Amino acid sequence: EAPVKDPNCEEPPMTFFTSDGADCPADAIIDVEVGDIIDNTGLFTIAGLDLGTMNMQLAPCFTDNCTDDLTYVVRNVDNGDPSETCSKTIVVEIEAVDDCGNVSVDALVCTFIIVDDVAPELEMPVVTEGDITCDDISVEDVTAFANGTLTPEEEAAFLDAAAALFVSNGLIPTGTTDDCNDSDYEEISIDVTLGDDCDIATLICTFVAVDVCGNTSEPASTSLNLIDDTAPVITCPADVEVDCTADNSPASTGMATATDDCGQEVA
């Protein structure tokens, strides 16, 4: 008679993660082939990890009326689809053979799942901070955004303008890296912290790297300091000729005026 498999002896699926050192799902395989003989503890390697530490005992799963020391043979191997880059399922079926060559009708089906759970990394520029002036962006818009008083349409326009400044100043990630899958960076927020009259505000842009499996990196930020480094402009009244006895006060001859590109008060 052939060995008999205990119907209650199916191994639950085992899950292995790339964060624990498993190979990427697309590259993951099991290192046994159909016909291979394995020992009682089911020792083999899957996704580059040794299953010996899993203590997967085969002996309790099969009984035989004549043979106590059975031989365990790989009946079938399914290494999954290499196009599965985020999660791959690998299946191996193991049969028992007694001393007379009788083979168990039912095989022990072992299922292994390999998951990419490692986030990509952001590649940030060497310089992560820069300065802009009031010619680059409206102080009124910066202040209103910080205070939450822009309309949705105005806020969207402000964020577009601010994002363009981070791009033009080279304050965006230079790329991303990922061990297993394609990835890219995403801008997740632009925030504004108001300062004083000269250091008017700081714009902070925060990014994350995301791969096609949805693994997300820790955030990283760059900043733009809105500063007032431009002198005000004075405009003098036109030249006039007055008689020495006439009124030559500024009220009569005209007053000088001054403007500041950041809207600061001038004297």
Side-chain angles (χ1 to χ4, degrees):
E1 294 183 9
V4 177
K5 185 180 82 72
D6 183 345
N8 298 316
C9 198
E10 289 293 345
E11 289 284 340
M14 297 183 187
T15 302
F16 303 93
F17 299 95
T18 54
S19 59
D20 294 327
D23 294 336
C24 294
D27 303 323
I29 61 171
I30 193 168
D31 71 341
V32 294
E33 298 178 355
V34 174
D36 285 353
I37 297 175
I38 58 178
D39 65 26
N40 177 44
T41 56
L43 296 180
F44 43 77
T45 300
I46 183 168
L49 300 178
D50 186 357
L51 282 186
T53 59
M54 294 297 176
N55 195 29
M56 189 180 72
Q57 296 292 324
L58 302 179
C61 291
F62 295 95
T63 57
D64 187 78
N65 61 340
C66 295
T67 304
D68 292 328
D69 189 13
L70 300 172
T71 300
Y72 301 96
V73 182
V74 177
R75 175 186 290 182
N76 186 45
V77 176
D78 181 358
N79 271 305
D81 186 345
S83 67
E84 296 174 329
T85 61
C86 294
S87 175
K88 178 194 280 188
T89 299
I90 295 176
V91 179
V92 59
E93 298 180 15
I94 301 169
E95 62 189 17
V97 183
D98 64 17
D99 289 343
C100 300
N102 299 308
V103 180
S104 59
V105 175
D106 297 318
L108 177 65
V109 179
C110 301
T111 302
F112 309 98
I113 302 171
I114 298 87
V115 176
D116 174 17
D117 67 333
V118 175
E121 295 182 2
L122 280 168
E123 296 177 350
M124 298 299 290
V126 175
V127 177
T128 59
E129 184 177 3
D131 294 335
I132 54 175
T133 69
C134 302
D135 289 334
D136 298 312
I137 197 165
S138 164
V139 175
E140 291 78 9
D141 287 348
V142 168
T143 304
F145 177 82
N147 293 328
T149 57
L150 293 178
T151 67
E153 294 77 13
E154 291 170 338
E155 182 174 302
F158 171 82
L159 290 173
D160 286 344
L165 286 174
F166 280 94
V167 172
S168 62
N169 283 272
L171 296 177
I172 59 175
T174 58
T176 61
T177 57
D178 188 83
D179 290 336
C180 295
N181 285 287
D182 292 335
S183 60
D184 203 351
Y185 68 85
E186 295 179 2
E187 171 200 307
I188 59 172
S189 68
I190 293 180
D191 300 300
V192 171
T193 301
L194 296 178
D196 56 28
D197 290 340
C198 297
D199 297 322
I200 300 169
T202 299
L203 284 68
I204 303 168
C205 192
T206 303
F207 306 90
V208 293
V210 183
D211 67 17
V212 296
C213 302
N215 298 310
T216 303
S217 72
E218 291 295 319
S221 300
T222 58
S223 60
L224 284 170
N225 301 310
L226 177 57
I227 60 174
D228 183 359
D229 65 350
T230 302
V233 176
I234 187 169
T235 302
C236 295
D239 293 341
V240 294
E241 292 184 5
V242 295
D243 186 88
C244 60
T245 60
D247 182 7
N248 61 1
S249 66
S252 176
T253 60
M255 296 286 292
T257 58
T259 58
D260 185 80
D261 66 342
C262 286
Q264 309 282 18
E265 292 185 5
V266 292

